[in-house]
């Protein structure tokens, strides 16, 4: 009875959002309030027989996801949780199998980077229903969703590029956008880039295309094709991993120049190395500090298993990395535990929303959450 009343109270607090039938969680978008760290604890899920174990269900080995894993592992170690990785190697069927195994072996907490969200959703709902913590990197369903304010993320990069075009390229530039418009959760970042570039009359968007794969190889192959029609490119924007591939193609073709502006999103280590050189085309990366949010999700997993109330959602705030601030960024990402322990530093990277715990787990998020939703 108490559990039922707690769930009803949580729904009223969420602004009257109704649960869909069949344990579907919150399917109608709601605007979450700020996370309340003082909210009273719930029961710990001890009766569910869950293991004190955290598993990262990882999609691929790009550096961004490796950073997530480093943060998760550090948090698990700090909180006494066993830690392992279920690596899917970009195979949706294998990821579904991993999640099915996790539901069977009573793992207490997972963090997942979904490859194909619709096909994975039924398995994740079973894990949630069993009482485990499920943290998702962007797509739901999950007890706690991690996202970035995607439009703002794209705008921060586009604003940096626009400033460079105005001040260094005389207001004129041939621009390539390497997008991921097929991923609805990431599409707003590219909308922001187009909106910003549209304000510059001297900009020509010579390519606006999604590489076949979101990795260096995809960026490399796409740029090689673009260069056949447009051999002189001034600006390339996209995720770091594909922009790094595009840089490799430009260098191979002898078309890389020091006055170009290549910029990406994710704060990939290789992009950081390029920026630190100071004399190459790579000028900026928008950090989504994956080790820091990974550490936070690991801490929330441990809190969940202790019966504490945790955030339903969390923003990782975009930071434009340049030569002037990279040293601070590298210090923070190398020691995410220190960032998490310092409220001011933590708030510069993370913003948390809503509250959920084991007793109110039927209010899990099952809609495309974004803090930017009106």
């Amino acid at each position: 009875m108490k559990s039922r009343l707690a769930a009803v109270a949580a729904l009223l607090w969420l602004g009257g959002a109704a649960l869909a039938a069949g344990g579907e969680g919150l399917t109608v978008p709601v605007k979450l309030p700020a996370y309340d760290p003082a909210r009273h604890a719930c029961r710990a899920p001890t009766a569910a027989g869950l293991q004190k174990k955290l598993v990262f269900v990882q999609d691929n080995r790009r550096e961004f996801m490796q950073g997530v894993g480093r943060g998760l592992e550090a948090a698990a170690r700090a909180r006494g949780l066993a830690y392992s990785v279920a690596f899917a190697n970009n195979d949706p069927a294998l990821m579904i199998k991993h999640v099915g195994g996790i539901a069977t072996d009573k793992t207490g907490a997972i963090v997942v980077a979904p490859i194909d969200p619709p096909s994975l959703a039924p398995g994740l709902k079973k894990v949630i229903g069993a009482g485990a913590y499920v943290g998702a990197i962007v797509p739901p369903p999950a007890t706690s969703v991690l996202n970035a304010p995607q439009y703002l993320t794209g705008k921060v990069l586009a604003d940096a590029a626009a400033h460079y075009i105005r001040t260094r390229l005389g207001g004129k530039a041939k621009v390539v956008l390497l997008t991921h418009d097929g991923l609805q959760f990431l599409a707003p970042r590219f909308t922001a880039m187009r909106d910003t570039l549209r304000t510059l009359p001297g900009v020509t968007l010579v390519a606006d295309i999604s590489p076949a794969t979101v990795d260096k190889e995809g960026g490399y192959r796409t740029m090689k094709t673009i260069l056949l029609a447009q051999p002189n490119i001034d600006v390339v924007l996209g995720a770091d991993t594909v922009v790094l591939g595009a840089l490799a193609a430009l260098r191979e073709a002898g078309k890389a120049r020091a006055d170009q502006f290549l910029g990406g999103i994710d704060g990939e280590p290789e992009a950081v190395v390029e920026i630190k050189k100071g004399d190459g085309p790579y000028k900026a990366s928008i950090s989504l500090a994956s080790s820091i949010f990974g550490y936070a999700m690991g801490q929330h997993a441990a809190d969940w298993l202790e019966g504490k109330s945790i955030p339903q959602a969390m923003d990782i705030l975009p930071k434009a990395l340049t030569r002037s601030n990279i040293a601070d960024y590298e210090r923070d990402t190398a020691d995410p535990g220190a960032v998490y322990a310092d409220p001011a530093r933590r708030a510069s990277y993370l913003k948390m929303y809503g509250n959920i715990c084991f007793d109110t787990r039927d209010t899990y998020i099952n809609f495309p959450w974004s803090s930017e939703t009106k």
Side-chain angles (χ1 to χ4, degrees):
M1 185 65 181
K2 289 182 179 178
S3 176
R4 181 64 179 170
L5 290 173
V8 171
L11 286 174
L12 290 173
W13 165 67
L14 283 167
L19 280 177
E24 291 297 303
L26 295 173
T27 59
V28 177
V30 293
K31 189 174 180 64
L32 298 175
Y35 168 62
D36 178 7
R39 186 171 289 267
H40 63 81
C42 298
R43 292 175 300 146
T46 50
L50 301 175
Q51 300 184 63
K52 289 191 67 177
K53 179 180 177 182
L54 172 60
V55 176
F56 181 24
V57 186
Q58 185 174 343
D59 54 356
N60 60 40
R61 297 192 191 280
R62 68 187 188 275
E63 281 292 337
F64 182 73
M65 288 301 168
Q66 299 288 68
V68 177
R70 287 192 292 273
L72 288 171
E73 185 173 16
R77 186 168 56 248
R79 298 293 295 275
L81 300 182
Y83 176 77
S84 64
V85 176
F87 182 61
N89 197 28
N90 289 324
D91 183 343
L94 181 55
M95 181 169 278
I96 292 169
K97 183 178 178 181
H98 286 323
V99 169
I102 285 166
T104 300
D105 76 4
K106 298 273 189 185
T107 291
I110 73 169
V111 170
V112 60
I115 298 167
D116 181 51
S119 67
L120 191 65
L124 292 177
K125 290 175 189 175
K126 288 182 181 178
V127 178
I128 293 168
Y133 166 89
V134 175
I137 299 173
V138 185
T143 52
S144 189
V145 171
L146 182 285
N147 201 352
Q150 297 292 348
Y151 189 92
L152 177 62
T153 299
K155 188 175 187 304
V156 170
L157 178 59
D159 285 348
H163 178 73
Y164 188 89
I165 291 168
R166 291 190 192 99
T167 60
R168 299 290 299 276
L169 299 179
K172 297 180 180 180
K174 291 184 177 180
V175 179
V176 170
L177 288 188
L178 299 175
T179 72
H180 307 148
D181 283 335
L183 300 174
Q184 67 173 112
F185 303 100
L186 299 182
R189 62 174 61 169
F190 303 106
T191 299
M193 293 179 198
R194 296 181 191 105
D195 289 348
T196 299
L197 293 170
R198 207 174 288 126
T199 66
L200 302 173
V203 163
T204 302
L205 193 57
V206 299
D208 185 340
I209 188 170
S210 296
T213 55
V214 184
D215 54 17
K216 286 179 68 175
E217 182 65 19
Y220 171 80
R221 291 187 179 278
T222 302
M223 182 54 74
K224 283 195 72 172
T225 302
I226 292 168
L227 289 172
L228 294 176
Q230 296 286 345
N232 295 306
I233 301 297
D234 300 305
V235 176
V236 183
L237 305 177
D240 276 328
T241 189
V242 293
V243 175
L244 287 164
L247 175 59
L250 287 165
R251 283 174 170 160
E252 183 181 275
K255 295 296 182 179
R257 311 188 315 267
D259 68 341
Q260 288 168 317
F261 184 102
L262 271 63
I265 295 170
D266 286 341
E268 294 269 11
E270 189 176 342
V272 170
V273 169
E274 289 289 343
I275 294 168
K276 288 170 71 173
K277 290 178 181 177
D279 58 355
Y282 223 103
K283 299 297 193 299
S285 178
I286 307 307
S287 161
L288 297 177
S290 60
S291 68
I292 292 172
F293 78 69
Y295 189 91
M297 295 178 91
Q299 287 284 338
H300 295 158
D303 287 344
W304 176 275
L305 292 172
E306 292 178 2
K308 296 176 182 176
S309 184
I310 67 166
Q312 282 176 294
M314 184 165 59
D315 267 335
I316 179 69
L317 303 175
K319 286 177 174 282
L321 301 182
T322 62
R323 290 186 74 197
S324 64
N325 64 12
I326 275 181
D328 289 342
Y329 168 77
E330 289 183 318
R331 176 203 64 193
D332 287 351
T333 54
D335 189 0
V339 175
Y340 192 80
D342 181 333
R345 286 168 68 190
R346 182 176 63 207
S348 73
Y349 287 98
L350 302 171
K351 190 171 183 180
M352 302 176 194
Y353 304 83
N355 281 76
I356 191 169
C357 62
F358 174 73
D359 285 341
T360 60
R361 65 190 181 281
D362 53 357
T363 64
Y364 70 87
I365 288 178
N366 196 12
F367 64 88
W369 177 82
S370 169
S371 63
E372 294 176 319
T373 300
K374 303 297 184 185

